Amino acid sequence: MKKLIILSTFIAIAFVISASIPDELTEEYGQTIFSVSDPEYEWSQIDTKQIKVGFKSQSLQFESKQNNGFAYSVVELPINVEDNAEFLFGINLKGFKPNDSSKEEKFSKENKFISKAASKAENVDATNMINSSFGMIFDYQDIRNYKGLAISKKEYQYYMVKDGIVSMVKRGPVKYEGDIFKLIMRRENGGIEFLLNGIEVCNLRKIKLTSSFFGVFINGKGKAEMPSFIMYISEQEDTEQSTSNT
């Protein structure tokens, strides 16, 4: 009898998991964790004197030799962001430690900051308003047009970049320990929830997305590596994709 009850409970739990986006993503939920070296996904790379992003030992390596250097990589994923109401994107990042010397730029009354590099280079230092940080890029059109979440030693900032002009939309305190990070964005009900190592960072409402390019960055002098990333698409989206391919 006990075995029957346990089995019934297990089936019920499994049904709930399959019907919604799981809170804890591990390999137990299927192929949700992908190696960055998977040839199906082409992560962008950078090789300059000050910024280097490339593959080594099956991981994507980030290095910035400047205090305001912006080392980033983006990838196109098979997610229909406009039609799919539920999906997940996440990054596993380690090795980068934001320092306490972060200096925040002063925003104008319009709450906007014009990047110093916007008029000089293609690779805009789009997050130098929160130096020494790591984070996530999404809804990416190009480096002068995207949305991002930056996490420093003590706070997070959700910002938007349009034509090289950065608008800080939301900010708040954040707490974490160590230098191993699982940063996840959960798309659900028209909004986005960000979680860092399983703890909610912030929740955004009614965010419009048009691009299937996602990415990761470190801002400030330092190194980091990303061995894998996380992707979860709702079963409804999977079914629609399979039907369209037949």
Side-chain angles (χ1 to χ4, degrees), residues 130-148:
I130 182 171
N131 243 346
S132 189
S133 60
F134 66 92
M136 181 179 290
I137 292 170
F138 58 100
D139 205 25
Y140 176 91
Q141 310 292 334
D142 55 50
I143 194 57
R144 294 169 59 87
N145 297 276
Y146 71 93
K147 298 178 179 70

Side-chain angles (χ1 to χ4, degrees), residues 117-130:
S119 61
K120 297 181 180 180
E122 294 180 359
N123 292 338
V124 177
D125 181 0
T127 60
N128 56 14
M129 69 257 208
I130 182 171

Side-chain angles (χ1 to χ4, degrees), residues 31 35 50 57 65 87 124 129 140 153 158 217-218 228:
Q31 293 184 353
S35 170
Q50 302 299 329
S57 301
K65 298 180 180 180
F87 67 83
V124 177
M129 69 257 208
Y140 176 91
K153 181 69 175 179
Y158 163 58
F217 70 83
I218 63 169
S228 59

Side-chain angles (χ1 to χ4, degrees), residues 72-155:
Y72 73 97
S73 179
V74 294
V75 64
E76 184 176 16
L77 297 179
I79 301 175
N80 188 336
V81 296
E82 295 186 78
D83 296 334
N84 191 10
E86 297 182 3
F87 67 83
L88 265 166
F89 169 68
I91 57 174
N92 290 312
L93 190 71
K94 59 183 180 179
F96 185 76
K97 291 184 177 182
N99 58 50
D100 292 320
S101 61
S102 302
K103 294 183 179 180
E104 300 165 6
E105 297 285 343
K106 294 182 178 180
F107 291 84
S108 67
K109 293 181 180 179
E110 292 78 20
N111 201 33
K112 292 182 178 180
F113 167 78
I114 300 177
S115 171
K116 298 175 183 177
S119 61
K120 297 181 180 180
E122 294 180 359
N123 292 338
V124 177
D125 181 0
T127 60
N128 56 14
M129 69 257 208
I130 182 171
N131 243 346
S132 189
S133 60
F134 66 92
M136 181 179 290
I137 292 170
F138 58 100
D139 205 25
Y140 176 91
Q141 310 292 334
D142 55 50
I143 194 57
R144 294 169 59 87
N145 297 276
Y146 71 93
K147 298 178 179 70
L149 182 81
I151 296 177
S152 67
K153 181 69 175 179
K154 298 179 179 180
E155 74 166 14

Side-chain angles (χ1 to χ4, degrees), residues 45-243:
Q45 302 179 58
I46 302 173
D47 188 7
T48 67
K49 290 183 178 180
Q50 302 299 329
I51 302 293
K52 293 187 182 298
V53 179
F55 289 96
K56 183 179 180 181
S57 301
Q58 305 299 310
S59 291
L60 193 58
Q61 308 281 331
F62 298 80
E63 181 179 8
S64 169
K65 298 180 180 180
Q66 296 177 312
N67 290 330
N68 64 342
F70 190 65
Y72 73 97
S73 179
V74 294
V75 64
E76 184 176 16
L77 297 179
I79 301 175
N80 188 336
V81 296
E82 295 186 78
D83 296 334
N84 191 10
E86 297 182 3
F87 67 83
L88 265 166
F89 169 68
I91 57 174
N92 290 312
L93 190 71
K94 59 183 180 179
F96 185 76
K97 291 184 177 182
N99 58 50
D100 292 320
S101 61
S102 302
K103 294 183 179 180
E104 300 165 6
E105 297 285 343
K106 294 182 178 180
F107 291 84
S108 67
K109 293 181 180 179
E110 292 78 20
N111 201 33
K112 292 182 178 180
F113 167 78
I114 300 177
S115 171
K116 298 175 183 177
S119 61
K120 297 181 180 180
E122 294 180 359
N123 292 338
V124 177
D125 181 0
T127 60
N128 56 14
M129 69 257 208
I130 182 171
N131 243 346
S132 189
S133 60
F134 66 92
M136 181 179 290
I137 292 170
F138 58 100
D139 205 25
Y140 176 91
Q141 310 292 334
D142 55 50
I143 194 57
R144 294 169 59 87
N145 297 276
Y146 71 93
K147 298 178 179 70
L149 182 81
I151 296 177
S152 67
K153 181 69 175 179
K154 298 179 179 180
E155 74 166 14
Y156 75 84
Q157 287 188 359
Y158 163 58
Y159 64 93
M160 300 172 62
V161 186
K162 184 174 178 58
D163 297 329
I165 299 177
V166 179
S167 298
M168 192 279 291
V169 181
K170 188 175 182 178
R171 72 198 305 174
V174 66
K175 291 184 179 180
Y176 58 86
E177 296 180 355
D179 63 350
I180 299 177
F181 309 110
K182 178 183 286 186
L183 180 60
I184 292 175
M185 66 172 286
R186 182 204 304 261
R187 174 69 161 175
E188 203 169 26
N189 299 322
I192 295 176
E193 179 187 24
F194 291 97
L195 301 107
L196 179 61
N197 295 342
I199 300 175
E200 182 180 293
V201 175
C202 68
N203 206 318
L204 309 174
R205 298 181 180 179
K206 295 182 180 180
I207 304 297
K208 184 179 180 180
L209 302 178
T210 60
S211 171
S212 297
F213 280 85
F214 297 81
V216 58
F217 70 83
I218 63 169
N219 185 46
K221 191 174 183 179
K223 296 181 179 180
E225 66 173 298
M226 183 174 72
S228 59
F229 68 98
I230 300 163
M231 179 173 58
Y232 179 94
I233 307 174
S234 65
E235 289 186 356
Q236 180 180 1
E237 177 71 5
D238 285 337
T239 302
E240 291 175 355
Q241 286 184 353
S242 298
T243 303

